[in-house]
């Protein structure tokens, strides 16, 4: 059950853009405060959208780029951020707003902006904070796309990055902070090492340096972990994975915790006038969540990486079963990991639910004893010079399939060294923690007996 503080926060949901989602959010919570507070599971199904008499029970797909107005003064008030309303679907749309309001409630945030992909969410979050000359400090246990965004592409725009081993001693991480550092970035469950972020330590480091702690919560989802309660300031998701849950749509979302002081002197972009909106000062105009307003008004407008209504509808539908799917993903992954750990053809298994240190972190930081659905393992005898055991295993699978994706209902496998990380040489693979014999498994929702039988027959010589 959400604590009352979480509910009052949800009640204060800053209207991220349009009147509709804000009103819907308030109604959902008003309903909650009259009776018992709504639990996480109920918010998965009813959060973010509260239809009135005669309106569709299901969040409608508003497949429209445009919105009609009667007078130019009204449009002017919207365009100059004096009033909220949909004007053009690049910056807001009622269906997208419904999805944003629901995921915002599930994370316990102060506002959300949905994006065209998870990559677009990470870019939006970072670009709204750091500008040319600034520096990003990020965990080395990162999704490959985030690593190349920080390490290569953003550098071309004058934003530099350094990376820390997330379990390195704090004094080592301290040394990497620079006067121009503006972001501390990590993943709740790191990729590909599957280490759980030490929230207490890293959020304290971010606080001490006056920079926002941005957390990619894709692999955990708010069902397992709510980073704002653990000191994170901004959460990003690839909605493509467990939020969708069925491998139908690409999308992402950025959520603002509303718990960071942008007026601490390091962020003039929030405290100085924005000439592109008649000199609005975000920290003054939107004190509850200046970050999310700036992200939408400035960067969604200019970068254009918005989510489309159809995908927002599908993500919203996906969220309606998140609380049912995540326990099964975790149970299946734990059972498969245990089976693989005893298999004679398996060299090693990595699953946070099997590791003593990671289990302590799950107990400390997660809502549930559940380590999500991703595991990795090594096949006996496979090496850089001999990938035949990998080839044979993948070919023989019948239930699981070779797929460059994670987080959906179907079980998927991938050989990272020859696919997502094929550009890396042997030394780089080593540094990234990707052995040549590694198979990554996204464990789906099938009957675990069928999955174990499938892996067993595929591993046999
Ligand atoms: C997939 C993924 C991303 C990127 O998301 P896309 O929707 O593919 O752009 C970012 N972070 C993590 C942890 C991911 O798994």
């Amino acid at each position: 059950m959400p604590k009352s503080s979480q509910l009052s926060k949800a009640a204060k949901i800053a209207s991220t853009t349009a009147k509709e989602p804000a009103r819907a959010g308030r109604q959902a919570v008003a309903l909650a405060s009259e009776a018992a507070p709504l639990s996480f599971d109920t918010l998965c199904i009813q959060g973010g959208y509260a239809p009135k008499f005669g309106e569709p029970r299901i969040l409608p797909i508003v497949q429209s780029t445009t919105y009609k107005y009667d007078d130019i003064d009204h449009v002017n008030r919207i365009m100059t951020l004096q009033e909220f309303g949909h004007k053009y679907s690049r910056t807001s749309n009622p269906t997208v707003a419904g999805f944003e309001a629901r995921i915002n409630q599930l994370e316990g945030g102060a506002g959300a902006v949905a994006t065209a992909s998870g990559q677009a969410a990470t870019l939006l979050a970072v670009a709204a904070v750091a500008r040319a000359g600034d520096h990003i400090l990020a965990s080395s246990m990162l999704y490959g796309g985030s690593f190349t965004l920080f390490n290569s592409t953003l550098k071309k725009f004058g934003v530099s990055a350094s990376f820390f081993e997330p379990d390195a001693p704090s004094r080592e991480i301290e040394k990497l902070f620079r006067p121009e550092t503006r972001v501390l970035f990590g993943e709740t469950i790191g990729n590909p090492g599957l280490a759980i972020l030490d929230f207490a330590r890293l959020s304290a480091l971010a606080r001490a340096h006056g920079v926002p702690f941005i957390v990619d919560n894709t692999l955990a989802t708010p069902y397992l972990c709510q980073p704002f309660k653990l000191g994170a300031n901004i959460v990003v998701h690839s909605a493509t994975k467990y939020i969708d849950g069925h491998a139908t749509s690409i999308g992402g979302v950025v959520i603002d915790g509303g718990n960071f002081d942008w007026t601490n002197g390091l962020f003039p972009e929030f405290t100085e006038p924005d000439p592109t909106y008649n000199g609005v000062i975000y920290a003054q105009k939107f004190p509850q969540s200046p970050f999310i307003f700036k992200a939408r008004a400035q960067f969604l407008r200019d970068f254009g990486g918005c989510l489309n209504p159809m995908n927002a509808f599908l993500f919203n539908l996906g969220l309606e079963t998140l609380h049912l799917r995540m326990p099964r993903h975790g149970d299946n992954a734990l059972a498969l990991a245990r089976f693989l750990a005893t298999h004679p053809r398996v060299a090693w298994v990595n699953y946070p639910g099997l590791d003593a240190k990671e289990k302590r972190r799950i107990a400390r930081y997660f809502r549930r004893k559940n380590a999500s659905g991703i595991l990795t393992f090594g096949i006996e005898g496979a090496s850089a010079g001999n990938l035949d055991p990998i080839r044979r295993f993948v070919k023989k699978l019948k239930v699981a399939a070779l797929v460059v994706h994670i987080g959906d209902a179907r079980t998927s496998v991938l050989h990272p060294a020859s696919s997502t990380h094929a550009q890396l040489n042997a030394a780089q693979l080593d540094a990234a923690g990707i052995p040549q014999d590694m198979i990554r498994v996204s464990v789906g929702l099938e009957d675990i007996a069928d999955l174990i039988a499938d892996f067993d027959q595929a591993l046999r010589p």
Side-chain angles (χ1 to χ4, degrees):
M1 299 288 267
K3 297 206 179 71
S4 58
S5 63
Q6 184 195 354
L7 271 171
S8 65
K9 191 165 202 183
K12 276 189 265 157
I13 286 173
S15 49
T16 65
T17 153
K19 278 180 185 164
E20 284 84 332
R23 211 190 293 135
R26 274 198 295 276
Q27 277 178 2
V29 175
L31 202 140
S33 56
E34 285 159 18
L38 292 182
S39 75
F40 184 94
D41 291 9
T42 303
L43 289 175
C44 278
I45 299 166
Q46 302 215 2
Y49 175 66
K52 293 191 290 293
F53 180 75
E55 290 180 351
R57 180 91 204 264
I58 307 305
L59 177 70
I61 302 173
V62 179
Q63 195 68 39
S64 179
T65 58
T66 49
Y67 306 87
K68 182 176 172 294
Y69 298 99
D70 286 340
D71 67 83
I72 61 169
D73 299 314
H74 188 189
V75 179
N76 178 262
R77 288 196 299 278
I78 292 174
M79 295 300 267
T80 54
L81 303 184
Q82 297 173 63
E83 192 174 305
F84 305 114
H86 303 295
K87 56 180 189 284
Y88 187 55
S89 287
R90 190 190 323 120
T91 46
S92 75
N93 164 284
T95 313
V96 176
F99 164 63
E100 289 167 343
R102 179 173 290 177
I103 186 73
N104 181 56
Q105 286 184 350
L106 294 175
E107 287 285 8
V113 172
T115 58
S117 67
Q119 282 300 105
T122 304
L123 173 62
L124 185 68
V126 167
V129 176
R131 56 185 186 183
D134 289 345
H135 171 252
I136 296 168
L137 189 51
S139 159
S140 57
M141 298 276 187
L142 277 193
Y143 175 71
S146 308
F147 180 77
T148 47
L149 173 67
F150 296 162
N151 194 46
S152 169
T153 304
L154 281 182
K155 278 194 177 142
K156 297 174 194 167
F157 294 86
V159 176
S160 61
S162 358
F163 300 89
F164 60 91
E165 203 279 296
D167 280 335
S170 293
R171 60 179 185 286
E172 298 294 321
I173 303 176
E174 280 282 356
K175 284 187 205 152
L176 296 172
F177 276 94
R178 302 180 192 167
E180 58 276 15
T181 302
R182 291 294 175 274
V183 169
L184 186 69
F185 191 98
E187 288 179 10
T188 304
I189 303 178
N191 217 344
L194 305 180
I196 313 281
L197 211 55
D198 188 355
F199 280 96
R201 205 163 63 97
L202 293 174
S203 66
L205 278 170
R207 254 195 320 278
H209 289 268
V211 303
F213 181 28
I214 305 185
V215 173
D216 181 335
N217 200 30
T218 300
L219 263 56
T221 82
Y223 178 79
L224 297 184
C225 182
Q226 293 172 309
F228 295 140
K229 290 184 178 158
L230 307 169
N233 305 110
I234 296 163
V235 162
V236 297
H237 279 281
S238 167
T240 315
K241 315 293 168 52
Y242 290 113
I243 291 176
D244 172 326
H246 304 81
T248 67
S249 316
I250 302 271
V253 63
V254 182
I255 304 136
D256 183 3
N259 56 355
F260 185 79
D261 178 14
W262 299 99
T263 66
N264 70 4
L266 293 178
F267 301 92
E269 291 267 328
F270 289 86
T271 54
E272 289 173 6
D274 177 359
T276 71
Y277 276 114
N278 299 14
V280 68
I281 297 175
Y282 292 100
Q284 280 176 10
K285 178 96 181 155
F286 310 107
Q288 279 188 349
S289 56
F291 167 82
I292 211 71
F293 280 96
K294 181 176 156 71
R296 180 186 304 281
Q298 215 177 44
F299 289 98
L300 208 52
R301 177 195 65 187
D302 295 349
F303 287 168
C306 57
L307 185 63
N308 67 68
M310 183 69 207
N311 284 10
F313 174 83
L314 289 167
F315 292 149
N316 199 60
L317 203 56
L319 284 177
E320 293 182 8
T321 54
L322 185 73
H323 61 301
L324 299 176
R325 291 183 285 109
M326 292 311 290
R328 179 69 172 256
H329 281 295
D331 288 350
N332 274 0
L334 180 62
L336 186 63
R338 284 193 173 132
F339 167 76
L340 292 171
T342 63
H343 201 283
R345 311 271 314 161
V346 170
W348 53 270
V349 178
N350 184 19
Y351 180 62
L354 287 186
D355 181 274
K357 185 181 95 193
E358 305 304 345
K359 278 163 75 175
R360 280 198 299 278
R361 289 202 179 153
I362 288 170
R364 180 171 180 195
Y365 297 129
F366 279 24
R367 295 178 66 239
R368 296 280 185 275
K369 281 202 185 67
N370 175 319
S372 194
I374 314 298
L375 63 86
T376 58
F377 71 98
I379 296 191
E380 200 68 69
S383 65
N386 178 22
L387 292 179
D388 282 344
I390 306 264
R391 289 195 182 95
R392 214 175 315 121
F393 166 74
V394 168
K395 272 228 159 64
K396 287 175 76 180
L397 285 170
K398 294 188 175 75
V399 180
L402 180 64
V403 168
V404 185
H405 187 253
I406 57 167
D408 73 90
R410 281 151 285 265
T411 297
S412 309
V413 302
L414 187 74
H415 179 237
S418 65
S419 55
T420 47
H421 295 73
Q423 322 83 319
L424 304 192
N425 62 35
Q428 289 169 320
L429 280 175
D430 210 40
I434 299 177
Q436 286 283 350
D437 65 351
M438 179 202 270
I439 299 276
R440 184 187 71 193
V441 188
S442 171
V443 186
L445 304 177
E446 301 92 342
D447 188 322
I448 185 60
D450 290 339
L451 291 178
I452 286 176
D454 191 38
F455 277 66
D456 189 34
Q457 64 81 24
L459 282 164
R460 284 174 198 279

